[in-house]
Amino acid sequence: MMGDIGSGANYPSLAGKSVFITGGGSGIGESLVEHFCAQDSRVAFVDVAEEPSRHLVERIQAKGHPSPHFIACDLRDIERLRAAITEAAELNGPIRVLCNNAGNDDRHRTEDVTVAYWDDRIAVNLRHQFFAAQAVRQQMKEAGGGSIINFGSITWMVGDPDCPAYVASKAAITGLTRALAREFGPERIRVNCMIPGWVMTERQIKLWLTPAGERQIAERQCLPDRLYPSDISRMALFLGADDSRMCSSQHFIVDGGWV
């Protein structure tokens, strides 16, 4: 069951709130954009893939929800990311919720990793999360607080063997979350880490959901149902809303009981 956006909880504190989402054009990010828009939040999102991102905007407009603002951005370009955050704040007001969602879990073997590839994986999966948090901090402080939701992965907890640079990045995000939560806390900025399990995005289904993968899910998850982007988005809504006002420096695992 993929879940209907309208069937979840409604958070009045998210209405009109400025939300910035990275990697919002597809997969979990696409679901985040849809769910926050359905809460009447003022959403801006960045993605490197322009065509699916523009289609997403059109689809949300057709549903009658507040239209999200798409900004084309390669997150390896930190100056472009900073400019996108400034643009979003100018349009929607000070950013109060940051979803550091973007990442890429391309498979690789240790013997094939070059220095250039390693540095690129860190840039794609880790570096932008820090600089996005850095960029929104002053806005959140002046607005009286905010919520930063970093996105990790259970891969580092289970020690997936086929993507060591990705696993290292995702492990680092947990440490980054705890450091920023301690530093930003006096400004009423909450910093938490969302840790998804194996989420059935279109990409995951197409590339890796083999019969062996199906058996692995059946063996490892406590719950028999498949995990979908909407399951992650619903937790993100809670972490963005005032309902989680005293939650910080934590990781929130949504994995069907895998770890």
Side-chain angles (χ1 to χ4, degrees):
M1 295 176 61
M2 294 191 67
D4 178 16
I5 290 175
S7 66
N10 180 63
Y11 295 96
S13 65
L14 289 176
K17 189 167 284 188
S18 178
V19 178
F20 189 86
I21 298 167
T22 65
S26 64
I28 294 173
E30 175 184 7
S31 179
L32 291 169
V33 172
E34 291 179 320
H35 278 75
F36 276 101
C37 285
Q39 297 283 331
D40 291 330
S41 300
R42 297 174 61 84
V43 177
F45 72 98
V46 293
D47 204 292
V48 71
E50 296 194 33
E51 185 175 353
S53 296
R54 299 194 190 283
H55 288 163
L56 173 60
V57 172
E58 294 170 359
R59 189 167 73 248
I60 292 173
Q61 288 175 333
K63 291 181 179 179
H65 297 310
S67 177
H69 179 61
F70 165 59
I71 305 169
C73 177
D74 185 331
L75 292 171
R76 290 171 291 193
D77 183 346
I78 299 301
E79 289 307 314
R80 177 61 180 149
L81 172 61
R82 287 169 170 159
I85 288 171
T86 298
E87 180 180 333
E90 289 174 348
L91 180 68
N92 293 335
I95 293 167
R96 301 296 301 277
V97 179
L98 167 65
C99 292
N100 269 326
N101 161 74
N104 184 288
D105 63 347
D106 280 352
R107 305 310 197 243
H108 51 274
R109 304 294 298 179
T110 293
E111 59 267 26
D112 299 324
V113 172
T114 64
V115 171
Y117 182 81
W118 176 272
D119 289 346
D120 183 73
R121 293 301 87 188
I122 298 300
V124 167
N125 293 307
L126 172 63
R127 188 178 67 178
H128 61 84
Q129 294 207 22
F130 172 81
F131 285 104
Q134 181 191 66
V136 302
R137 180 183 185 179
Q138 189 62 30
Q139 298 179 32
M140 289 185 175
K141 178 181 178 180
E142 293 175 357
S147 175
I148 297 173
I149 308 168
N150 297 326
F151 278 69
S153 169
I154 64 167
T155 55
W156 72 267
M157 295 179 167
V158 300
D160 278 359
D162 55 359
C163 49
Y166 177 78
V167 170
S169 298
K170 290 301 183 178
I173 290 165
T174 295
L176 175 65
T177 296
R178 295 184 67 82
L180 295 184
R182 184 67 61 182
E183 182 181 355
F184 292 8
E187 298 157 11
R188 293 186 174 84
I189 299 171
R190 296 174 284 118
V191 188
N192 290 291
C193 187
M194 172 78 72
I195 302 185
W198 192 357
V199 182
M200 297 294 102
T201 64
E202 182 179 345
R203 182 172 185 266
Q204 294 293 318
I205 293 171
K206 179 181 178 181
L207 294 178
W208 296 301
L209 190 61
T210 62
E214 291 278 13
R215 288 194 298 272
Q216 187 182 33
I217 293 171
E219 292 168 359
R220 295 298 299 272
Q221 283 189 186
C222 295
L223 300 173
D225 301 316
R226 295 296 175 262
L227 192 64
Y228 290 104
S230 60
D231 298 306
I232 309 304
S233 295
R234 288 172 179 171
M235 179 61 80
L237 293 179
F238 168 73
L239 292 175
D242 291 352
D243 299 64
S244 60
R245 72 180 194 91
M246 293 302 289
C247 297
S248 195
S249 193
Q250 304 302 313
H251 36 282
F252 290 81
I253 303 173
V254 183
D255 70 345
W258 192 297
V259 297

